[in-house]
Amino acid sequence: MIKDWNKRTTAVHGGTRRSQYGEVSEAIFLTQGFVYDSAEAAEARFIEAGEDEFIYARYGNPTVRMFEERIAALEGAEDAFAAASGMAAVSGALTAMLKAGDHVVSAKALFGSCLYVLEDVLSRFGVEVTFVDGTDLDQWQAAIRPDTRAVFFESVSNPTLEVIDIAAVSALAHAVGATVLVDNVFATPVFSRAIEQGADVVVYSATKHIDGQGRALGGIILGTREFIRKTVEPYMKHTGGAMSPFNAWIMLKGLETMSLRVNAQAVSALALTEALQGHDGLARVLYPGHPSHSQFDLCTRQMGKGGTVVSLDLKGGQPAAFRFLNALTIPKISNNLGDAKSIVTHPATTTHQRLSEKQRAELGITPGLIRLSIGIEDTDDLIADVHQALAAAD
């Protein structure tokens, strides 16, 4: 029956479990373990737990399982594993499947922590990583080898908002039997069709649009049942990266309003982008959902809408960027995104500061670049605030 529901309905009702009390809001099972009726029952459950049987909160929990089943149904995946944070999901998905000698091809335009995992962590364990310009299919084709084990990329890059063609890269990877892992945060589960377009594994920071209200950390790994239960689950449960039941409950509540929030944010993001076209103080206005973006057609085909983030490149460099940030009254200076509150970030000095100046330049992260995550405030108020802050930055 769930398969016939549209996304908004699935986000509210998918995977619901109710106790004997028939509660309307999902129950929070705040327990680290579970009681067995007998020694024999304990033995049987450790041999093979049933669909609605649990052993230990690090292995699984009824509230966490509700979140996993709901987001899997929403994404069109067979199964999911909920992690303690977005980076626990990224690192867990990669390290669970890789071993010494494996080869990975990755887009180079990545969030700083993702780059750290690929460049520093995996290399310590003998995994070879080749980085490419994710928008250049010729580079993907040249880098993917017969022995490539996996490819990894952000479907929309952070913070320069480059869009990677999921279907095309997946076809190249699948030709050699490689697994396609996509960090899909900027696409959001609302606009995502990544699995339909060829991705094997999709990863989200649930902290972003899923919670979307600045309350809790969380991550999710989605894929086939075999990959999730045979590869990811053993690794995650033994290394301790599971999501807490309380955070899972928060994510369930976030899913109920996610579509309303994200669609409203995308409308405001597009309106702001249109309002800033040709502004004298800006070198670039980047938003994949606007015709001015070089990959507008790909974004429209792949996502339908452009997401919730707009990036602005101020001509005056870092001094102008700082004046702009300090003059804003509605967006808050922070390093999160996908929140109900508008959030503004200077990537060169925060989220991507560990990169060298050369690396930042190669990725288009200039001293004047600002990442603006659009919230659910009134669109006209946001536009007016950005205009006055740009005037103050001049």
Side-chain angles (χ1 to χ4, degrees):
M1 183 178 178
I2 291 177
K3 292 181 181 178
D4 297 329
W5 290 345
N6 291 315
K7 280 193 171 187
R8 275 176 56 177
T9 306
T10 300
V12 176
H13 295 290
T16 299
R17 282 173 160 81
R18 286 191 171 87
S19 75
Q20 69 272 30
Y21 300 109
E23 62 279 346
V24 173
S25 182
E26 296 81 0
I28 310 175
F29 291 89
L30 286 177
T31 179
Q32 99 291 9
F34 300 84
V35 175
Y36 312 102
D37 292 336
S38 66
E40 290 80 6
E43 178 188 34
R45 195 173 298 184
F46 267 78
I47 292 171
E48 185 175 6
E51 177 63 24
D52 218 26
E53 294 180 334
F54 301 92
I55 294 171
Y56 191 63
R58 183 158 42 86
Y59 294 20
N61 171 281
T63 311
V64 175
R65 191 63 188 138
M66 276 192 276
F67 172 58
E68 291 170 343
E69 290 183 354
R70 187 171 297 181
I71 190 69
L74 187 65
E75 191 72 22
E78 289 182 1
D79 210 343
F81 191 93
S85 69
M87 283 314 304
V90 170
S91 61
L94 287 166
T95 52
M97 67 172 292
L98 296 171
K99 63 183 185 305
D102 282 345
H103 177 241
V104 177
V105 181
S106 172
K108 61 185 178 182
L110 298 174
F111 176 54
S113 295
C114 292
L115 275 174
Y116 175 79
V117 170
L118 287 156
E119 286 184 320
D120 296 313
V121 176
L122 294 182
S123 63
R124 295 180 206 165
F125 299 99
V127 176
E128 180 187 357
V129 182
T130 301
F131 289 97
V132 299
D133 178 347
T135 64
D136 188 338
L137 291 177
D138 289 336
Q139 288 194 31
W140 282 107
Q141 187 162 29
I144 293 171
R145 311 188 309 224
D147 65 339
T148 298
R149 180 77 174 85
V151 303
F152 177 77
F153 56 91
E154 295 173 354
S155 57
V156 181
S157 70
N158 180 10
T160 52
L161 308 182
E162 296 176 346
V163 184
I164 294 182
D165 191 328
I166 296 173
V169 175
S170 296
L172 294 173
H174 291 158
V176 300
T179 299
V180 179
L181 296 93
V182 176
D183 182 335
N184 215 28
V185 165
F186 279 61
T188 82
V190 175
F191 303 134
S192 170
R193 298 190 348 260
I195 289 177
E196 172 191 324
Q197 291 159 350
D200 300 300
V201 181
V202 175
V203 178
Y204 288 103
S205 169
T207 313
K208 310 304 189 287
H209 305 91
I210 295 173
D211 171 23
Q213 290 158 86
R215 299 171 295 190
L217 295 176
I220 193 77
I221 307 167
L222 301 113
T224 64
R225 186 159 290 107
E226 181 177 6
F227 179 77
I228 296 298
R229 296 303 154 192
K230 298 291 178 65
T231 300
V232 172
E233 182 184 300
Y235 177 84
M236 295 296 282
K237 75 182 185 182
H238 291 302
T239 56
M243 179 180 283
S244 78
F246 184 75
N247 285 16
W249 182 81
I250 287 176
M251 300 307 167
L252 283 164
K253 295 294 97 184
L255 281 175
E256 293 181 355
T257 61
M258 179 179 63
S259 180
L260 301 176
R261 287 183 281 106
V262 167
N263 275 290
Q265 289 165 309
V267 168
S268 290
L270 179 59
L272 175 64
T273 302
E274 182 63 32
L276 294 178
Q277 294 302 300
H279 193 286
D280 289 341
L282 295 171
R284 294 180 294 169
V285 180
L286 301 174
Y287 182 64
H290 189 271
S292 62
H293 195 283
S294 62
Q295 295 172 298
F296 171 71
D297 290 341
L298 173 59
C299 174
T300 302
R301 183 172 74 250
Q302 190 160 287
M303 294 167 52
K305 293 185 180 179
T308 67
V309 177
V310 179
S311 289
L312 311 176
D313 197 350
L314 277 73
K315 290 179 179 178
Q318 182 174 323
F322 276 26
R323 289 194 296 271
F324 173 78
L325 265 66
N326 292 335
L328 288 166
T329 62
I330 296 174
K332 306 307 176 189
I333 301 172
S334 187
N335 48 285
N336 193 26
L337 62 93
D339 197 281
K341 298 179 178 67
S342 291
I343 290 175
V344 64
T345 306
H346 186 247
T349 56
T350 57
T351 56
H352 291 71
Q353 58 82 27
R354 66 174 291 273
L355 303 183
S356 68
E357 187 175 340
K358 180 182 178 182
Q359 285 177 306
R360 290 196 295 270
E362 288 176 350
L363 296 174
I365 303 173
T366 64
L369 189 71
I370 295 293
R371 187 187 74 195
L372 180 54
S373 172
I374 304 299
I376 60 173
E377 301 94 347
D378 181 84
T379 303
D380 290 339
D381 288 344
L382 280 171
I383 292 172
D385 195 30
V386 169
H387 274 296
Q388 69 80 22
L390 285 170
D394 193 7

